[in-house]
């Protein structure tokens, strides 16, 4: 199995009830779309394991899931806190100008004047917009270790080139 295309899309939570159900937390924009992707994989004791969704349903503010072969609370408890992965190739194609976070991580970030701000190491969701977490280069002229740049296209994000893994921003390096 090729595991280099696997990306994290959610996490298994605590068990629910006595019949092997688990709470599930989706990291997808539309939480229910987590169930559109099959199969799921978890990394258990250093080995990739495929898990099959038997059923799922909303419960209060949560969603609960029944995995095939997990039939009691004890078995479900053993899966608590495992991250859920799917094959990135199974994700839908995006509209022009939309990006998956996984594609932005690792990109070099430069200002419109050519100053190298560093590399995207993570993204954060703030409610109003996503934020690039940019790890500054070791000898950053402004002494920055990390920069948080709002992913607001046109205002701050001028151009994203995934082929060269570079993001051009209108951003003051001293900030």
């Amino acid at each position: 199995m090729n595991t280099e295309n696997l990306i994290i899309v959610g996490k298994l939570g605590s068990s629910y009830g006595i019949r092997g159900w688990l709470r599930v937390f989706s990291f997808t924009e539309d939480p229910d779309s987590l169930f559109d992707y099959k199969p799921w994989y978890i990394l258990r004791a250093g080995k990739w394991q495929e898990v099959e969704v038997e059923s799922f349903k909303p419960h209060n503010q949560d969603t609960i899931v029944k995995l095939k072969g997990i039939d009691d609370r004890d078995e479900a408890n053993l899966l608590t806190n495992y991250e859920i992965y799917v094959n990135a190739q199974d994700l839908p194609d995006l509209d022009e100008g939309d990006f998956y976070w996984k594609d932005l991580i690792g990109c070099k970030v430069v200002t419109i004047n050519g100053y190298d701000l560093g590399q995207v190491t993570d993204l954060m969701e703030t409610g109003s917009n996503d934020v690039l977490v940019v790890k500054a280069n070791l000898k950053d002229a402004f002494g920055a270790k990390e920069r948080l740049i709002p992913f607001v296209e046109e205002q701050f994000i001028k151009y994203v080139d995934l082929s060269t893994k570079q993001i051009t921003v209108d951003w003051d390096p001293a900030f």
Side-chain angles (χ1 to χ4, degrees), residues 11-28:
K11 188 174 187 175
L12 295 169
S14 58
S15 61
Y16 173 80
I18 60 170
R19 290 184 166 52
W21 287 77
L22 288 149
R23 287 173 180 82
V24 66
F25 304 99
S26 176
F27 301 158
T28 57

Side-chain angles (χ1 to χ4, degrees), residues 8-175:
I8 187 170
V9 291
K11 188 174 187 175
L12 295 169
S14 58
S15 61
Y16 173 80
I18 60 170
R19 290 184 166 52
W21 287 77
L22 288 149
R23 287 173 180 82
V24 66
F25 304 99
S26 176
F27 301 158
T28 57
E29 192 169 4
D30 169 17
D32 286 344
S33 69
L34 177 65
F35 300 100
D36 296 340
Y37 310 123
K38 295 173 179 92
W40 286 2
Y41 298 95
I42 59 173
L43 186 57
R44 194 170 182 186
K47 292 187 173 65
W48 287 102
Q49 176 182 338
E50 189 174 314
V51 292
E52 188 179 332
V53 174
E54 192 173 293
S55 187
F56 67 93
K57 60 187 175 188
H59 178 73
N60 296 335
Q61 278 76 39
D62 296 330
T63 300
I64 57 175
V65 64
K66 172 76 175 67
L67 300 175
K68 195 170 189 168
I70 305 298
D71 297 313
D72 65 42
R73 179 187 279 281
D74 292 337
E75 291 174 338
N77 280 333
L78 295 175
L79 297 178
T80 296
N81 291 327
Y82 276 97
E83 293 172 328
I84 301 164
Y85 293 82
V86 298
N87 191 326
Q89 293 167 328
D90 296 335
L91 298 176
D93 292 334
L94 295 174
D95 294 333
E96 182 70 32
D98 286 345
F99 307 97
Y100 283 116
W101 282 14
K102 70 173 183 68
D103 296 328
L104 299 175
I105 292 174
C107 285
K108 179 176 166 179
V109 181
V110 296
T111 67
I112 51 177
N113 299 324
Y115 186 81
D116 184 350
L117 295 174
Q119 191 173 40
V120 178
T121 56
D122 201 1
L123 283 100
M124 297 186 313
E125 201 172 343
T126 63
S128 56
N129 51 265
D130 296 336
V131 174
L132 295 174
V133 179
V134 180
K135 183 175 190 279
N137 296 309
L138 280 175
K139 292 189 166 76
D140 186 82
F142 297 90
K145 298 264 186 273
E146 184 178 85
R147 292 180 175 89
L148 302 177
I149 302 174
F151 197 87
V152 179
E153 296 187 76
E154 294 178 23
Q155 186 178 359
F156 302 121
I157 306 298
K158 295 301 182 183
Y159 187 69
V160 176
D161 186 346
L162 293 180
S163 65
T164 60
K165 299 282 284 174
Q166 182 166 302
I167 301 171
T168 305
V169 298
D170 186 356
W171 195 255
D172 181 351
F175 187 66

